[in-house]
Amino acid sequence: MTGQENAMNPILMLCFAIALTGCQSLPSSDEGNAKDVVFLKREHCLTDYIEDLKRVHFGPCLTVQSVNGHPPATRPDGFIELPVNSRTSLGVYCTYRSQDNTVKENSTIYTTVVFPYDQFAKAGIRWYLHAHTDVLHGKGCKPTLSRSSRG
């Protein structure tokens, strides 16, 4: 091995360790079952790689500002715990980004979304918010839920 290859090994090891740590920091379904809660990502920014254009498209970021009128308690992993079988009202900011990943001027919209008591019926599940209102033009904010980070 050359000296440069030896220098790369610690860097690769560090990247692997960070990636592994990131995977392990997600809340587990066992923890949610024990606490009788679901997990909602407090901030979720949508980003997609568009193969045809060979570039990243930066979608909106949704941030939970309040849960039932109170600031959310955010876990170190970025999730909020919500009780199962409980009506939940979320105050959410939608912020749209330009293609250089900067915030579009006057694009931050605040909205309230209310989920019925049976929306979160099974403990231990991770949920993510997505915006599905004219996302390409940066208008509107009607958050929807997904059990996937990709939507």
Side-chain angles (χ1 to χ4, degrees), residues 40-44 62-66 72 74 78-80 129:
L40 175 69
K41 189 74 170 168
R42 178 159 188 225
E43 180 174 73
H44 185 63
L62 285 85
T63 306
V64 177
Q65 191 66 26
S66 67
T74 307
F79 284 84
I80 299 167
L129 288 174

Side-chain angles (χ1 to χ4, degrees), residues 28-82:
S28 74
S29 59
D30 290 341
E31 179 185 2
N33 289 330
K35 293 180 173 183
D36 207 24
V37 298
V38 297
F39 304 102
L40 175 69
K41 189 74 170 168
R42 178 159 188 225
E43 180 174 73
H44 185 63
C45 295
L46 303 172
T47 304
D48 280 322
Y49 182 74
I50 302 171
E51 184 67 39
D52 296 352
L53 301 175
K54 304 283 188 231
R55 69 180 178 115
V56 173
H57 171 75
F58 295 99
C61 291
L62 285 85
T63 306
V64 177
Q65 191 66 26
S66 67
V67 176
N68 298 326
H70 302 284
T74 307
R75 297 164 43 107
D77 56 19
F79 284 84
I80 299 167
E81 296 178 2
L82 300 175

Side-chain angles (χ1 to χ4, degrees), residues 44-136:
H44 185 63
C45 295
L46 303 172
T47 304
D48 280 322
Y49 182 74
I50 302 171
E51 184 67 39
D52 296 352
L53 301 175
K54 304 283 188 231
R55 69 180 178 115
V56 173
H57 171 75
F58 295 99
C61 291
L62 285 85
T63 306
V64 177
Q65 191 66 26
S66 67
V67 176
N68 298 326
H70 302 284
T74 307
R75 297 164 43 107
D77 56 19
F79 284 84
I80 299 167
E81 296 178 2
L82 300 175
V84 297
N85 298 316
S86 179
R87 182 179 177 275
T88 303
S89 175
L90 301 177
V92 179
Y93 279 108
C94 296
T95 304
Y96 289 90
R97 302 177 289 166
S98 298
Q99 286 311 298
D100 63 355
N101 198 20
T102 58
V103 173
K104 287 185 179 181
E105 190 174 326
N106 299 318
S107 75
T108 300
I109 301 164
Y110 184 82
T111 192
T112 301
V113 59
V114 178
F115 297 107
Y117 74 94
D118 59 349
Q119 176 67 55
F120 304 114
K122 185 172 188 237
I125 296 175
R126 291 189 299 269
W127 294 90
Y128 301 84
L129 288 174
H130 297 276
H132 289 285
T133 303
D134 204 6
V135 172
L136 293 177

